[in-house]
């Protein structure tokens, strides 16, 4: 796609080649962080391609060398939260609907999850039908570190990981490399980064399954398989406090380090996240999980921890957030439950009909 001189490049490059439609997230300086306009553009392209017989496969990838997408535009969310605006809720409403659409898309949707894939980046890749990771992949839902909760269907994905691996990733925000992403169900195939251009070329002429099979390789060893025993034991507890106690008392250095990490996260976000992961396991659909996540996200937007977490991690970068309340015992069960409360009439995401949320 050529751009007239003097005009900025589009934030999403959209083009077709052969039998494939390509979506390239194009904000490399911002690690391809999603804006509302980008979400709308992806949705428009999917609408055009879904009924186009010439397009049999969709491919999403990121511009630059650093990754597919680092999430949403955190600075914009911070400014909107401080101002008490509604732009972020409007963005999430369209973003979560896009996540659901990707999961139900009727043609192969191939995600190149190369490099950093976090937050909203998981939302536009992790629900695809063909998810490719590389030796550079760093897949994570790091929301508790900014006073937020896993969204974009993250609770649905992580709630279905083996044992308590998803709980561990959700609470800590730990990055999963290629093997760990495959183990936890966040990805399907490993392809070396150097082979992605050739894979993209093959996708223009071959069915997606056949093209990927030509390049898929065994992934280098990961970390989580060897940590499964203590993760399942410690994260099987009913409360965050008990999880931290088990980690601390385990006698396993890695587990003790993890306890220290958890105690740096927002106590309110930790409790809401644990409850969300456990509830997601009882749900029948991604749509139901997204409906719940929308309630949680909107609650977080009005809480002090999200503004403070983004300030500490992204704006001032002092890495010293002051959470409200500051400790786990001070976050009551009632306070956590309030985050799950239905929103006023007309303000729900509304992807699932009433009464169809859980089995």
């Amino acid at each position: 796609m050529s751009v007239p001189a003097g005009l900025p490049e589009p934030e999403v490059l959209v083009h077709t080649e052969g039998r494939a439609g390509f979506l390239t997230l194009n904000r490399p300086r911002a690690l391809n962080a999603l804006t509302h306009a980008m979400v709308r553009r992806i949705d428009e392209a999917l609408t055009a391609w879904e009924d186009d017989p010439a397009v049999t496969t969709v491919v999403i990838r990121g511009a630059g060398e650093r990754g597919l997408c680092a999430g949403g535009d955190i600075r914009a969310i911070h400014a909107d939260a401080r101002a008490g605006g509604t732009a972020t809720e409007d963005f999430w409403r369209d973003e979560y609907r896009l996540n659901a659409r990707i999961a139900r898309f009727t043609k192969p949707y191939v995600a190149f999850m190369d490099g950093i894939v976090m937050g909203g980046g998981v939302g536009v890749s992790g629900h695809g039908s063909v998810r490719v990771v590389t030796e550079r992949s760093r897949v994570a839902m790091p929301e508790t570190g900014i006073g937020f909760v896993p969204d974009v269907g993250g609770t649905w994905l992580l709630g279905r990981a083996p044992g308590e691996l998803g709980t561990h990733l959700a609470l800590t925000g730990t990055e999963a490399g290629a093997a760990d992403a495959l183990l936890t169900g966040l990805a399907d195939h490993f392809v070396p980064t150097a082979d992605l251009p050739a894979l993209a070329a093959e996708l223009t002429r071959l069915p997606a399954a056949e093209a990927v099979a030509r390049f898929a390789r065994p992934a280098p060893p990961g970390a989580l398989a060897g940590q499964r025993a203590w993760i399942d034991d410690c994260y099987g507890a009913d409360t965050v406090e008990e999880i931290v106690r088990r980690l601390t008392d385990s006698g396993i250095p890695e587990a003790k380090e993890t306890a220290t990490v958890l105690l740096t996260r927002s106590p309110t976000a930790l409790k809401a996240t644990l409850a969300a992961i456990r509830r997601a396991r009882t749900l029948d659909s991604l749509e139901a999980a997204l409906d719940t996540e929308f309630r949680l996200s909107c609650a977080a937007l009005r809480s002090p921890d999200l503004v403070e977490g983004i300030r500490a991690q992204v704006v001032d970068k002092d890495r010293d957030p002051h959470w409200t309340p500051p400790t786990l015992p001070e976050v009551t069960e009632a306070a956590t439950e309030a985050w799950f409360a239905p929103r006023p009439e007309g303000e729900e995401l509304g992807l699932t009909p009433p009464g169809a949320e859980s089995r």
Side-chain angles (χ1 to χ4, degrees):
M1 175 185 294
S2 62
V3 179
L7 291 179
E9 283 199 340
E11 292 181 333
V12 180
L13 304 178
V14 179
H15 81 280
T16 59
E17 183 178 346
R19 59 189 292 153
F22 288 89
L23 298 164
T24 304
L25 307 185
N26 191 39
R27 298 183 69 214
R29 291 185 179 178
L31 239 170
N32 300 318
L34 292 173
T35 65
H36 200 164
M38 292 169 74
V39 166
R40 291 188 180 120
R41 187 67 186 98
I42 295 169
D43 189 65
E44 289 171 359
L46 294 183
T47 296
W49 290 338
E50 190 148 32
D51 296 322
D52 184 349
V55 175
T56 60
T57 299
V58 171
V59 182
I60 189 166
R61 56 193 179 180
E65 299 297 322
R66 298 169 63 196
L68 171 65
C69 174
D73 190 335
I74 293 297
R75 288 181 178 271
I77 292 172
H78 181 259
D80 189 50
R82 290 188 65 188
T86 61
T88 300
E89 289 188 15
D90 294 339
F91 165 59
W92 285 333
R93 192 180 296 277
D94 286 343
E95 182 184 25
Y96 298 177
R97 290 183 180 277
L98 175 63
N99 302 146
R101 179 173 197 176
I102 290 168
R104 308 297 179 215
F105 198 65
T106 56
K107 299 177 181 181
Y109 180 101
V110 183
F112 286 4
M113 301 172 71
D114 186 37
I116 292 174
V117 185
M118 297 183 180
V122 174
V124 296
S125 61
H127 304 298
S129 53
V130 184
R131 303 165 301 175
V132 175
V133 284
T134 73
E135 74 279 5
R136 306 194 314 171
S137 293
R138 294 164 54 195
V139 186
M141 299 295 295
E143 285 79 8
T144 60
I146 58 167
F148 196 49
V149 292
D151 64 336
V152 299
T155 61
W156 174 259
L157 294 170
L158 295 176
R160 278 151 182 76
E164 296 294 338
L165 295 179
T167 310
H168 169 65
L169 295 180
L171 293 182
T172 61
T174 298
E175 297 173 0
D180 291 338
L182 293 167
L183 174 63
T184 54
L186 295 171
D188 305 302
H189 306 280
F190 172 80
V191 174
T193 296
D195 288 342
L196 291 181
L199 172 56
E202 291 291 81
L203 287 166
T204 68
R205 66 183 192 89
L206 294 176
E210 183 179 345
V212 173
R214 293 190 175 196
F215 294 93
R217 303 287 184 269
L224 290 181
Q227 300 171 346
R228 175 76 185 272
W230 65 260
I231 287 175
D232 283 357
D233 177 61
C234 295
Y235 287 92
D238 291 334
T239 66
V240 180
E241 290 94 331
E242 178 61 14
I243 289 171
V244 171
R245 188 196 66 77
R246 290 187 187 185
L247 290 167
T248 303
D249 296 345
S250 67
I252 300 169
E254 291 170 306
K256 291 183 177 181
E257 292 171 7
T258 300
T260 300
V261 170
L262 287 177
L263 292 175
T264 68
R265 306 309 195 223
S266 159
T268 301
L270 287 174
K271 290 201 171 183
T273 296
L274 179 62
I277 292 291
R278 297 284 161 82
R279 294 186 191 203
R281 294 173 179 169
T282 73
L283 300 177
D284 284 330
S285 67
L286 168 63
E287 286 82 357
L290 288 164
D291 279 341
T292 299
E293 290 173 1
F294 187 69
R295 294 174 181 176
L296 293 170
S297 298
C298 292
L301 190 65
R302 307 306 175 202
S303 75
D305 278 5
L306 181 59
V307 169
E308 173 61 9
I310 297 175
R311 179 207 64 77
Q313 302 296 342
V314 179
V315 179
D316 297 338
K317 299 182 180 180
D318 59 27
R319 309 291 191 262
D320 184 29
H322 296 273
W323 306 121
T324 305
T327 67
L328 287 165
E330 293 176 272
V331 182
T332 66
E333 184 175 346
T336 302
E337 190 64 28
W339 279 40
F340 291 85
R343 291 175 53 74
E345 185 175 355
E347 295 184 18
E348 293 276 25
L349 183 60
L351 290 178
T352 53
E357 291 85 2
S358 61
R359 59 176 180 260

